[in-house]
Short mmCIF file of all heavy atoms in Angstrom, two decimals:
data_model
loop_
_atom_site.label_atom_id
_atom_site.label_comp_id
_atom_site.label_asym_id
_atom_site.label_seq_id
_atom_site.Cartn_x
_atom_site.Cartn_y
_atom_site.Cartn_z
N PRO A 751 -29.49 -93.09 15.23
CA PRO A 751 -30.67 -93.11 16.10
C PRO A 751 -30.38 -93.38 17.58
O PRO A 751 -31.20 -93.06 18.44
CB PRO A 751 -31.52 -94.23 15.48
CG PRO A 751 -30.58 -95.05 14.74
CD PRO A 751 -29.50 -94.16 14.25
N SER A 755 -32.00 -87.97 19.28
CA SER A 755 -33.42 -88.24 19.30
C SER A 755 -34.16 -87.59 18.13
O SER A 755 -35.36 -87.88 17.91
CB SER A 755 -34.04 -87.68 20.61
OG SER A 755 -33.82 -86.29 20.73
N TRP A 757 -33.31 -87.99 15.00
CA TRP A 757 -32.96 -88.76 13.79
C TRP A 757 -33.94 -89.89 13.58
O TRP A 757 -34.16 -90.72 14.46
CB TRP A 757 -31.53 -89.31 13.89
CG TRP A 757 -31.12 -90.08 12.66
CD1 TRP A 757 -31.23 -91.44 12.49
CD2 TRP A 757 -30.57 -89.54 11.46
NE1 TRP A 757 -30.73 -91.77 11.25
CE2 TRP A 757 -30.33 -90.64 10.58
CE3 TRP A 757 -30.24 -88.27 11.06
CZ2 TRP A 757 -29.80 -90.46 9.31
CZ3 TRP A 757 -29.73 -88.08 9.79
CH2 TRP A 757 -29.48 -89.20 8.94
N PHE A 758 -34.56 -89.92 12.42
CA PHE A 758 -35.47 -90.99 12.04
C PHE A 758 -35.04 -91.46 10.65
O PHE A 758 -34.82 -90.63 9.76
CB PHE A 758 -36.94 -90.50 11.94
CG PHE A 758 -37.45 -89.93 13.28
CD1 PHE A 758 -37.18 -88.64 13.63
CD2 PHE A 758 -38.23 -90.72 14.11
CE1 PHE A 758 -37.64 -88.13 14.85
CE2 PHE A 758 -38.70 -90.22 15.32
CZ PHE A 758 -38.37 -88.92 15.70
N SER A 759 -34.91 -92.78 10.49
CA SER A 759 -34.47 -93.30 9.19
C SER A 759 -35.31 -94.46 8.74
O SER A 759 -35.81 -95.26 9.59
CB SER A 759 -33.02 -93.75 9.34
OG SER A 759 -32.55 -94.26 8.12
N LEU A 982 -43.67 -87.08 15.24
CA LEU A 982 -43.06 -88.11 14.41
C LEU A 982 -43.09 -89.49 15.10
O LEU A 982 -43.14 -90.52 14.47
CB LEU A 982 -41.59 -87.75 14.10
CG LEU A 982 -41.40 -86.84 12.86
CD1 LEU A 982 -39.96 -86.32 12.78
CD2 LEU A 982 -41.73 -87.64 11.59
N ARG A 983 -43.06 -89.48 16.39
CA ARG A 983 -43.08 -90.77 17.13
C ARG A 983 -44.46 -91.39 17.19
O ARG A 983 -44.61 -92.48 17.74
CB ARG A 983 -42.52 -90.54 18.53
CG ARG A 983 -41.06 -90.05 18.49
CD ARG A 983 -40.30 -90.36 19.77
NE ARG A 983 -38.89 -90.03 19.58
CZ ARG A 983 -37.95 -90.84 19.11
NH1 ARG A 983 -38.31 -92.08 18.80
NH2 ARG A 983 -36.74 -90.44 18.97
N SER A 984 -45.44 -90.75 16.58
CA SER A 984 -46.74 -91.36 16.51
C SER A 984 -47.14 -91.61 15.07
O SER A 984 -48.32 -91.89 14.73
CB SER A 984 -47.79 -90.40 17.14
OG SER A 984 -47.85 -89.15 16.43
N VAL A 985 -46.16 -91.55 14.14
CA VAL A 985 -46.46 -91.75 12.70
C VAL A 985 -46.56 -93.26 12.44
O VAL A 985 -45.72 -94.03 12.80
CB VAL A 985 -45.33 -91.12 11.85
CG1 VAL A 985 -45.48 -91.56 10.37
CG2 VAL A 985 -45.37 -89.62 11.95
N ASP A 996 -43.71 -97.06 10.24
CA ASP A 996 -44.15 -97.09 11.62
C ASP A 996 -43.04 -96.62 12.56
O ASP A 996 -42.00 -97.29 12.70
CB ASP A 996 -44.59 -98.52 11.96
CG ASP A 996 -45.22 -98.58 13.35
OD1 ASP A 996 -45.39 -97.55 13.98
OD2 ASP A 996 -45.58 -99.70 13.78
N PHE A 997 -43.23 -95.41 13.13
CA PHE A 997 -42.28 -94.89 14.15
C PHE A 997 -42.83 -95.00 15.54
O PHE A 997 -42.20 -94.59 16.50
CB PHE A 997 -42.01 -93.41 13.84
CG PHE A 997 -41.25 -93.17 12.58
CD1 PHE A 997 -41.39 -91.98 11.89
CD2 PHE A 997 -40.33 -94.06 12.08
CE1 PHE A 997 -40.72 -91.68 10.72
CE2 PHE A 997 -39.65 -93.85 10.93
CZ PHE A 997 -39.83 -92.65 10.24
N THR A 998 -44.00 -95.62 15.68
CA THR A 998 -44.63 -95.69 17.01
C THR A 998 -43.84 -96.63 17.98
O THR A 998 -43.92 -96.42 19.16
CB THR A 998 -46.05 -96.20 16.89
OG1 THR A 998 -46.10 -97.50 16.27
CG2 THR A 998 -46.87 -95.26 16.06
N THR A 999 -43.10 -97.57 17.40
CA THR A 999 -42.41 -98.53 18.26
C THR A 999 -40.90 -98.16 18.36
O THR A 999 -40.14 -98.90 18.92
CB THR A 999 -42.50 -99.95 17.74
OG1 THR A 999 -41.99 -99.96 16.36
CG2 THR A 999 -43.94 -100.39 17.69
N ALA A 1000 -40.53 -97.03 17.80
CA ALA A 1000 -39.14 -96.59 17.81
C ALA A 1000 -38.73 -96.16 19.24
O ALA A 1000 -39.34 -95.21 19.74
CB ALA A 1000 -38.88 -95.48 16.83
N PRO A 1001 -37.81 -96.83 19.87
CA PRO A 1001 -37.41 -96.38 21.22
C PRO A 1001 -36.60 -95.14 21.16
O PRO A 1001 -35.93 -94.85 20.14
CB PRO A 1001 -36.57 -97.61 21.70
CG PRO A 1001 -36.02 -98.23 20.48
CD PRO A 1001 -37.05 -98.02 19.42
N LEU A 1002 -36.63 -94.39 22.24
CA LEU A 1002 -35.81 -93.19 22.30
C LEU A 1002 -34.38 -93.58 22.51
O LEU A 1002 -34.07 -94.38 23.43
CB LEU A 1002 -36.30 -92.29 23.45
CG LEU A 1002 -35.81 -90.84 23.46
CD1 LEU A 1002 -36.25 -90.09 22.23
CD2 LEU A 1002 -36.30 -90.14 24.73
N TYR A 1003 -33.46 -93.09 21.69
CA TYR A 1003 -32.06 -93.42 21.74
C TYR A 1003 -31.85 -94.94 21.57
O TYR A 1003 -31.12 -95.56 22.32
CB TYR A 1003 -31.38 -92.92 23.02
CG TYR A 1003 -31.46 -91.41 23.15
CD1 TYR A 1003 -32.31 -90.86 24.08
CD2 TYR A 1003 -30.71 -90.56 22.37
CE1 TYR A 1003 -32.43 -89.47 24.20
CE2 TYR A 1003 -30.81 -89.18 22.52
CZ TYR A 1003 -31.65 -88.68 23.41
OH TYR A 1003 -31.73 -87.30 23.56
N GLY A 1004 -32.52 -95.52 20.60
CA GLY A 1004 -32.32 -96.93 20.33
C GLY A 1004 -32.77 -97.30 18.98
O GLY A 1004 -33.36 -96.49 18.25
N GLU A 1005 -32.43 -98.56 18.55
CA GLU A 1005 -32.80 -99.00 17.19
C GLU A 1005 -34.27 -99.44 17.20
O GLU A 1005 -34.77 -100.00 18.13
CB GLU A 1005 -31.92 -100.15 16.81
CG GLU A 1005 -30.51 -99.80 16.45
CD GLU A 1005 -29.75 -101.01 15.90
OE1 GLU A 1005 -30.34 -102.10 15.83
OE2 GLU A 1005 -28.56 -100.86 15.54
N ARG A 1006 -34.86 -99.09 16.08
CA ARG A 1006 -36.24 -99.66 15.85
C ARG A 1006 -36.12 -100.82 14.87
O ARG A 1006 -35.13 -101.01 14.20
CB ARG A 1006 -37.17 -98.57 15.33
CG ARG A 1006 -36.98 -98.17 13.88
CD ARG A 1006 -38.01 -97.14 13.47
NE ARG A 1006 -37.91 -96.80 12.04
CZ ARG A 1006 -38.52 -97.39 11.08
NH1 ARG A 1006 -39.39 -98.37 11.37
NH2 ARG A 1006 -38.39 -97.06 9.83
N HIS A 1007 -37.22 -101.57 14.78
CA HIS A 1007 -37.28 -102.71 13.86
C HIS A 1007 -38.43 -102.41 12.86
O HIS A 1007 -39.24 -101.52 13.05
CB HIS A 1007 -37.48 -103.98 14.58
CG HIS A 1007 -36.32 -104.37 15.48
ND1 HIS A 1007 -35.18 -104.98 14.99
CD2 HIS A 1007 -36.12 -104.13 16.80
CE1 HIS A 1007 -34.35 -105.14 16.00
NE2 HIS A 1007 -34.89 -104.63 17.11
N HIS A 1009 -37.74 -102.21 9.40
CA HIS A 1009 -37.29 -101.58 8.17
C HIS A 1009 -37.51 -102.51 6.98
O HIS A 1009 -37.48 -103.73 7.10
CB HIS A 1009 -35.77 -101.31 8.28
CG HIS A 1009 -35.40 -100.35 9.41
ND1 HIS A 1009 -35.03 -100.80 10.63
CD2 HIS A 1009 -35.34 -99.02 9.41
CE1 HIS A 1009 -34.76 -99.77 11.40
NE2 HIS A 1009 -34.94 -98.68 10.70
#
Side-chain angles (χ1 to χ4, degrees):
S755 59
W757 181 266
F758 300 82
S759 178
L982 274 169
R983 298 203 174 271
S984 62
V985 169
D996 187 1
F997 293 150
T998 58
T999 59
L1002 196 62
Y1003 300 107
E1005 287 187 359
R1006 76 177 182 92
H1007 296 276
H1009 299 92

